[in-house]
Amino acid sequence: MKSERFKIGWEKLKEVDGSAGENVVKSLKDIAPDFADLLIEFPFGDVYSRKELDLKSREIATIAALTAMGNASPQLKVHIQAGLNVGLTKKEIVEIIMQMSVYSGFPSALNGLFAAKEVFENEKK
Amino acid sequence: MKSERFKIGWEKLKEVDGSAGENVVKSLKDIAPDFADLLIEFPFGDVYSRKELDLKSREIATIAALTAMGNASPQLKVHIQAGLNVGLTKKEIVEIIMQMSVYSGFPSALNGLFAAKEVFENEKK
Amino acid sequence: MKSERFKIGWEKLKEVDGSAGENVVKSLKDIAPDFADLLIEFPFGDVYSRKELDLKSREIATIAALTAMGNASPQLKVHIQAGLNVGLTKKEIVEIIMQMSVYSGFPSALNGLFAAKEVFENEKK
Amino acid sequence: MKSERFKIGWEKLKEVDGSAGENVVKSLKDIAPDFADLLIEFPFGDVYSRKELDLKSREIATIAALTAMGNASPQLKVHIQAGLNVGLTKKEIVEIIMQMSVYSGFPSALNGLFAAKEVFENEKK
Amino acid sequence: MKSERFKIGWEKLKEVDGSAGENVVKSLKDIAPDFADLLIEFPFGDVYSRKELDLKSREIATIAALTAMGNASPQLKVHIQAGLNVGLTKKEIVEIIMQMSVYSGFPSALNGLFAAKEVFENEKK
Amino acid sequence: MKSERFKIGWEKLKEVDGSAGENVVKSLKDIAPDFADLLIEFPFGDVYSRKELDLKSREIATIAALTAMGNASPQLKVHIQAGLNVGLTKKEIVEIIMQMSVYSGFPSALNGLFAAKEVFENEKK
């Protein structure tokens, strides 16, 4: 039986990441099903469900961090979509990524913008 | 004579980073005075002065990115102070840094929290 | 009241990290007490307490990763001590760090070795 | 004529990395043949051939480091296969990668698990 | 109307990066046209146009840095081509990338060499 | 008895890094003497002694890479001194570091410049 944290996490995951989050969980089922549980319980059940910060601010932080790290392109795309899901505009997302040119350099910002371009184009379909 | 961008950037730098920003500029004077100009003109004159994102959101993005990168401790401290300057609460800053445990791991979040502790303690003095 | 995960995590933290782990938890009390709970619950309650890998192998993995990342010196020292706590020899720890020269370069291995030197010298006291 | 180190390294490379290692060497022949020699001589002739650590422990360290670095996907796949070659079980490899969520974040662990999934599926063929 | 910096930057971009640079600018037009301007103005108008370092030395620095960072493959390829454009030989470029094995590890050097292989093969066509 | 590679490497290390290099080797003697040998043999005996690139170009590459990586401050300082040893001017070194603001962001360039400031001030004494 799944824990209360799991249930809270699962609802939060669906609210934030939508179907992309569910797909990540599914794709873990045959390789590391326990990790799917941890992914729901810790990031979403423990962290994103805390009241100290609204979801819009959380997604600004995550989009900025993943752009700056520059080595997590699939997760960046999930969170650009998540940003749209929780109410960030495309202009705001583009602006956050542009700002990373100052902190992690132009290549990280460029690759972030191309990730956004891909997500925004899928949105339209 | 300094450019218009420089003047806009200088005002923005003082608004965001306060005396910490001015100190960085001063400390560059004997090693790389031209870089002090670039630092004022590009990040502050060109990027932070854009209207597409409010300063609070910009500092959320920067604190998140510098925490996640984990190799820019002096700049992270400057921007934790900058976050306070533009209206983020200590609780919000702590929450942004805590969230990075999900994306760049617990060591980056721990080191970010200890940086915040140092900045908050200096605040009180 | 603390959860079962917390209790399991707290015992595991003490077993692995010893007093260094307790000190990290203490130093979080005034800045982010909730993060101290998360640190005990997720890494130690959820991950290190799993049976699929022995603690020696877990510390090999952690020492290698923190050496390679090169931006988490305090945590690397805690885990070099943890490696000794769970039965790795000094020679084995030195060898793990040396091997990182291949994957993350000589500077990361050098800085890792100097961290080990510091931990081993404190050991003797 | 190749050096003694080269011969030792070449045998070790084949033992650890199998045909994947040989393919890397081949693919360097037209762009940087000298680098193929260095790759055999230093990592395998000098480091992996040392007696201070068994090959299983070496592969735990390498899989952990490459997962944490998150920017060397082809090499991570080679070493997940190498882990199997030297006797790590799939469960152990999955567990090492899962543990990296604590140190380098969930995206690095997720991308590592998807790399493992790909290697394990090729194994079956 | 475009600024003087923009005009200088645009000429420098074409001199250094050739058509690859122009393509990057074009591909930004629909997602972040302002970022295309910043990209021309700051890196090329402000930095590359400075007289303190010749373009060959600048490209040595950039190829080394992007190889070492290991998370900016498209930009590394653009600058391997740029290195050829400003007079570095293929042998020199290969040697710079090989040297990174010492500082950022063998995986970063290997991935850099495979990027060079791709650029050199396109050259021949 | 030390190998030919060791002898070549030792001469090259002294030529490039001067007393700073010798100090690194000494400080390894009690923690990892074998690693001191590897450090002399591979980076200096195998790589820096190759004829395909002059030492000035090698140091441009290394200063750029270590600045961009941002997590190897002691080694960056050794190589800023090495740059001076092989004939780079202070202005050129400052310029290389400034350029990294484009690729790895302003914090990495700032921290690089402060490292250079420290090395240049020690020079004068």
Side-chain angles (χ1 to χ4, degrees):
Chain A
M1 218 192 64
K2 299 295 186 182
S3 69
E4 193 58 28
R5 279 169 77 232
F6 182 92
K7 286 172 207 159
I8 294 169
W10 182 240
E11 291 309 312
K12 192 55 76 179
L13 174 75
K14 286 193 292 184
E15 180 186 353
V16 175
D17 284 353
S19 58
E22 293 183 71
N23 287 340
V24 170
V25 168
K26 259 183 232 161
S27 66
L28 284 167
K29 285 294 174 201
D30 56 340
I31 178 91
D34 294 358
F35 195 70
D37 286 0
L38 293 180
L39 178 68
I40 290 161
E41 289 170 350
F42 175 65
F44 294 96
D46 287 345
V47 178
Y48 274 75
S49 65
R50 289 168 57 82
K51 310 290 181 206
E52 281 76 2
L53 202 66
D54 61 283
L55 286 177
K56 238 173 165 170
S57 298
R58 289 198 185 278
E59 288 303 330
I60 293 172
T62 300
I63 292 167
L66 293 175
T67 300
M69 292 165 65
N71 61 0
S73 177
Q75 290 77 28
L76 176 56
K77 285 177 202 161
V78 168
H79 281 279
I80 288 169
Q81 180 62 58
L84 296 173
N85 296 347
V86 302
L88 289 173
T89 65
K90 291 182 186 180
K91 280 208 168 177
E92 287 171 323
I93 290 171
V94 163
E95 193 69 23
I96 296 160
I97 298 174
M98 281 174 61
Q99 184 174 317
M100 291 304 107
S101 63
V102 175
Y103 298 103
S104 47
F106 276 75
S108 68
L110 278 170
N111 293 328
L113 289 171
F114 295 134
K117 194 172 168 173
E118 206 181 309
V119 175
F120 295 169
E121 278 165 4
N122 282 333
E123 264 281 288
K124 288 183 208 150
K125 288 171 195 172
Chain B
M1 219 191 64
K2 300 295 186 183
S3 68
E4 192 59 28
R5 280 167 76 231
F6 183 91
K7 285 171 207 160
I8 294 169
W10 183 240
E11 290 311 311
K12 192 56 74 178
L13 173 75
K14 287 193 292 184
E15 180 186 353
V16 174
D17 284 354
S19 59
E22 293 183 70
N23 287 340
V24 170
V25 167
K26 261 183 230 160
S27 66
L28 284 168
K29 284 296 175 200
D30 56 339
I31 179 89
D34 294 358
F35 195 69
D37 287 1
L38 293 180
L39 178 68
I40 290 161
E41 291 169 349
F42 176 65
F44 295 96
D46 287 346
V47 178
Y48 274 74
S49 64
R50 289 168 57 84
K51 310 292 179 206
E52 280 76 2
L53 202 67
D54 61 284
L55 285 177
K56 240 174 166 171
S57 298
R58 290 198 184 277
E59 287 303 330
I60 293 172
T62 299
I63 291 168
L66 293 175
T67 300
M69 290 165 65
N71 61 1
S73 176
Q75 290 76 29
L76 176 57
K77 286 176 201 162
V78 167
H79 281 279
I80 289 169
Q81 182 62 59
L84 297 173
N85 296 347
V86 302
L88 290 172
T89 66
K90 290 182 187 181
K91 281 208 167 176
E92 287 171 322
I93 291 172
V94 163
E95 193 70 23
I96 296 160
I97 298 174
M98 283 174 60
Q99 184 174 318
M100 290 305 106
S101 63
V102 175
Y103 298 102
S104 47
F106 277 74
S108 68
L110 278 169
N111 293 328
L113 289 171
F114 294 135
K117 195 173 169 174
E118 206 182 308
V119 174
F120 295 168
E121 278 165 6
N122 281 333
E123 263 282 286
K124 288 180 208 151
K125 287 172 193 170
Chain C
M1 218 192 65
K2 299 295 186 182
S3 68
E4 193 58 29
R5 280 168 76 231
F6 182 91
K7 285 172 207 158
I8 294 169
W10 183 240
E11 291 310 313
K12 193 55 75 180
L13 173 76
K14 286 193 292 184
E15 179 185 354
V16 174
D17 284 353
S19 59
E22 293 184 71
N23 288 339
V24 170
V25 168
K26 259 182 231 159
S27 66
L28 284 169
K29 285 295 175 201
D30 56 339
I31 179 91
D34 295 358
F35 195 69
D37 287 0
L38 293 180
L39 179 66
I40 290 161
E41 290 170 349
F42 175 66
F44 295 96
D46 287 345
V47 178
Y48 274 74
S49 64
R50 288 168 57 83
K51 309 291 180 207
E52 279 76 2
L53 202 67
D54 61 284
L55 285 177
K56 238 172 166 171
S57 297
R58 288 198 185 279
E59 287 303 330
I60 293 171
T62 299
I63 292 167
L66 292 175
T67 300
M69 291 164 65
N71 61 1
S73 176
Q75 290 76 30
L76 176 57
K77 286 177 201 160
V78 167
H79 281 280
I80 288 169
Q81 181 61 60
L84 296 173
N85 297 346
V86 302
L88 290 172
T89 67
K90 290 182 187 181
K91 280 210 168 175
E92 287 171 322
I93 290 171
V94 163
E95 193 70 23
I96 296 160
I97 298 174
M98 281 173 61
Q99 184 175 317
M100 291 304 107
S101 62
V102 175
Y103 298 103
S104 48
F106 277 75
S108 69
L110 278 169
N111 294 328
L113 289 171
F114 294 134
K117 195 173 168 172
E118 207 182 307
V119 174
F120 295 169
E121 277 165 5
N122 281 334
E123 264 280 287
K124 289 183 208 150
K125 288 173 192 170
Chain D
M1 219 191 65
K2 299 295 186 182
S3 69
E4 193 58 28
R5 281 167 75 231
F6 182 92
K7 285 172 207 159
I8 294 169
W10 182 242
E11 291 309 313
K12 191 56 76 178
L13 173 76
K14 286 192 291 183
E15 180 185 353
V16 175
D17 284 354
S19 59
E22 294 183 70
N23 287 339
V24 170
V25 168
K26 258 182 232 161
S27 66
L28 284 167
K29 285 294 176 202
D30 56 339
I31 178 91
D34 294 359
F35 195 69
D37 287 0
L38 292 180
L39 179 67
I40 291 162
E41 289 170 349
F42 176 66
F44 294 96
D46 288 345
V47 178
Y48 275 74
S49 64
R50 289 168 58 83
K51 309 291 179 207
E52 280 76 3
L53 202 67
D54 61 283
L55 285 178
K56 237 171 166 172
S57 297
R58 289 197 185 278
E59 287 303 329
I60 293 171
T62 299
I63 291 168
L66 293 176
T67 300
M69 291 164 66
N71 62 1
S73 177
Q75 290 77 28
L76 175 57
K77 285 178 202 160
V78 167
H79 281 278
I80 288 169
Q81 181 61 58
L84 296 173
N85 296 347
V86 301
L88 291 171
T89 66
K90 290 182 185 180
K91 280 209 168 175
E92 287 171 323
I93 290 171
V94 163
E95 194 70 23
I96 296 160
I97 297 174
M98 281 173 61
Q99 184 174 318
M100 291 304 106
S101 64
V102 175
Y103 298 104
S104 47
F106 276 74
S108 68
L110 277 170
N111 294 328
L113 289 171
F114 294 134
K117 194 173 168 171
E118 206 183 306
V119 174
F120 296 168
E121 278 166 6
N122 282 333
E123 264 282 286
K124 289 181 208 152
K125 288 172 196 173
Chain E
M1 219 192 65
K2 300 294 185 183
S3 69
E4 192 59 28
R5 280 168 75 232
F6 182 91
K7 285 172 207 160
I8 294 169
W10 182 241
E11 290 309 313
K12 192 55 76 179
L13 174 75
K14 286 193 292 184
E15 181 185 352
V16 175
D17 284 353
S19 59
E22 294 182 71
N23 288 340
V24 170
V25 168
K26 259 182 231 160
S27 66
L28 284 167
K29 284 296 175 200
D30 56 339
I31 178 91
D34 294 358
F35 195 69
D37 287 0
L38 293 180
L39 178 67
I40 290 162
E41 290 169 349
F42 175 65
F44 294 95
D46 287 346
V47 178
Y48 275 74
S49 64
R50 289 168 58 82
K51 309 290 179 206
E52 280 76 3
L53 203 67
D54 61 282
L55 285 177
K56 238 171 165 173
S57 298
R58 290 198 184 277
E59 287 304 329
I60 293 172
T62 299
I63 292 167
L66 293 175
T67 301
M69 292 165 65
N71 61 1
S73 176
Q75 290 77 27
L76 176 56
K77 285 178 201 160
V78 167
H79 281 280
I80 288 169
Q81 181 62 59
L84 296 173
N85 297 347
V86 301
L88 290 171
T89 66
K90 291 182 186 180
K91 282 208 166 175
E92 287 171 323
I93 290 171
V94 163
E95 193 70 23
I96 296 161
I97 298 174
M98 282 173 61
Q99 184 175 316
M100 290 305 105
S101 63
V102 175
Y103 298 103
S104 46
F106 276 75
S108 69
L110 278 169
N111 294 328
L113 289 171
F114 294 134
K117 194 173 170 172
E118 206 182 308
V119 175
F120 295 168
E121 278 165 5
N122 281 333
E123 264 282 286
K124 287 182 210 152
K125 289 170 194 170
Chain F
M1 221 192 63
K2 300 295 186 181
S3 68
E4 193 57 28
R5 281 167 75 230
F6 182 91
K7 285 171 208 161
I8 293 169
W10 183 241
E11 290 310 312
K12 192 55 76 178
L13 173 75
K14 287 194 291 185
E15 180 186 354
V16 175
D17 284 354
S19 59
E22 294 183 70
N23 287 340
V24 170
V25 168
K26 260 183 230 159
S27 66
L28 284 168
K29 285 294 175 202
D30 57 339
I31 179 91
D34 295 358
F35 195 70
D37 287 0
L38 293 180
L39 178 67
I40 290 161
E41 290 169 350
F42 176 66
F44 294 96
D46 287 346
V47 178
Y48 275 73
S49 64
R50 289 168 57 82
K51 309 291 180 206
E52 280 76 2
L53 202 67
D54 61 283
L55 286 176
K56 238 172 167 172
S57 298
R58 290 199 183 277
E59 288 304 329
I60 294 172
T62 300
I63 292 168
L66 293 175
T67 300
M69 291 165 67
N71 62 0
S73 176
Q75 290 76 28
L76 176 57
K77 286 177 201 160
V78 167
H79 281 280
I80 289 169
Q81 182 62 58
L84 295 173
N85 297 347
V86 302
L88 290 172
T89 66
K90 291 182 186 180
K91 281 208 168 174
E92 286 170 324
I93 291 172
V94 163
E95 193 70 24
I96 296 160
I97 298 174
M98 282 173 62
Q99 184 175 318
M100 291 304 106
S101 63
V102 175
Y103 297 104
S104 47
F106 276 75
S108 69
L110 278 170
N111 293 328
L113 288 171
F114 294 135
K117 195 174 168 172
E118 207 182 307
V119 174
F120 295 168
E121 278 165 5
N122 282 333
E123 264 280 287
K124 288 182 208 152
K125 288 173 192 168

